[in-house]
Amino acid sequence: MALYHGRRIVTGHDAHGRSIVISDEAPKNVVPNPADPDRGHINFWRTMSVPANNEVLADPMDGPPCPLAPPKGGTMFRFFQIAPERNEAGLSEAERNRRMGQMFEAAGAAHVRVDTKRHPSMHKTDSVDYIVLLKGEVTAVLDVGEVQMKPFDVLIQRGTNHGWANYGSEPALLVAVLVDAEPLPD
């Protein structure tokens, strides 16, 4: 299975203030992992501030790929897909770490990998993330412990160092809303 892309339908208003569809297409902002076609981010929408300005007509997804974290003072809405760990069976820890580093670099987020001792996908962002597992199974890996998730389980990630491991046999598909947060003190 390749990276799931889905469909993005955006509403707006016409000149008379009536609701209309202004866009119905595949997402524009897909950030695949160069080392693994079953892993990556599909960014659907972002806001540059809260509250958001619904009068702006420009598509916030035009332009270069979105970074991993939401904009300062803003939000990000995305799907992300986690490939099964067995896809990396036989790779050295150094190679797994290098491949994961490529993915974070592609997302403009090499700097968020602060402590990867527990898993090569570990990272920490200044955000509150509302994450729902849609399909498959995945394990949230934390500095201390891990939590196995089944479809429709919800994880609220609050600026913690975390990563994702898929011990199942098919890619896991998750949806996330990321909200900018104040950085935690060191």
Side-chain angles (χ1 to χ4, degrees):
M1 174 180 181
L3 190 60
Y4 177 83
H5 286 86
R7 177 175 160 205
R8 187 185 78 142
I9 304 160
V10 181
T11 65
H13 299 92
D14 67 12
H16 303 288
R18 297 175 300 195
S19 59
I20 61 170
V21 171
I22 61 172
S23 174
D24 184 348
E25 60 192 353
K28 300 176 179 184
N29 208 283
V30 177
V31 185
N33 182 346
D36 188 342
D38 286 338
R39 189 173 193 122
H41 299 101
I42 305 95
N43 299 306
F44 287 90
W45 200 257
R46 67 178 159 183
T47 64
M48 302 311 282
S49 64
V50 174
N53 182 348
N54 283 332
E55 291 181 333
V56 175
L57 297 178
D59 189 332
M61 303 316 292
D62 284 341
C66 295
L68 185 70
K72 200 73 178 145
T75 66
M76 177 73 68
F77 175 68
R78 73 168 44 111
F79 281 0
F80 65 104
Q81 190 166 290
I82 308 296
E85 295 278 314
R86 71 180 188 179
N87 287 12
E88 296 186 342
L91 295 179
S92 69
E93 192 63 31
E95 178 61 13
R96 288 183 72 211
N97 200 38
R98 186 191 70 75
R99 290 175 62 159
M100 191 59 63
Q102 282 183 307
M103 186 196 74
F104 279 92
E105 192 170 310
H111 64 284
V112 302
R113 298 181 75 216
V114 295
D115 183 355
T116 60
K117 287 185 218 99
R118 294 231 36 229
H119 194 273
S121 70
M122 297 289 282
H123 62 286
K124 181 179 180 180
T125 57
D126 296 328
S127 60
V128 174
D129 306 343
Y130 307 115
I131 302 165
V132 182
L133 176 62
L134 299 176
K135 181 178 149 197
E137 55 186 71
V138 72
T139 299
V141 181
L142 303 171
D143 289 333
V144 179
E146 31 185 74
V147 179
Q148 185 177 2
M149 294 174 64
K150 299 286 186 196
F152 307 108
D153 286 350
V154 175
L155 180 96
I156 312 298
Q157 189 287 124
R158 301 176 57 229
T160 60
N161 190 36
H162 67 286
W164 301 99
N166 179 348
Y167 301 122
S169 59
E170 66 179 83
L173 180 63
L174 301 97
V175 63
V177 175
L178 293 75
V179 180
D180 183 46
E182 291 295 325
L184 291 168
D186 288 334

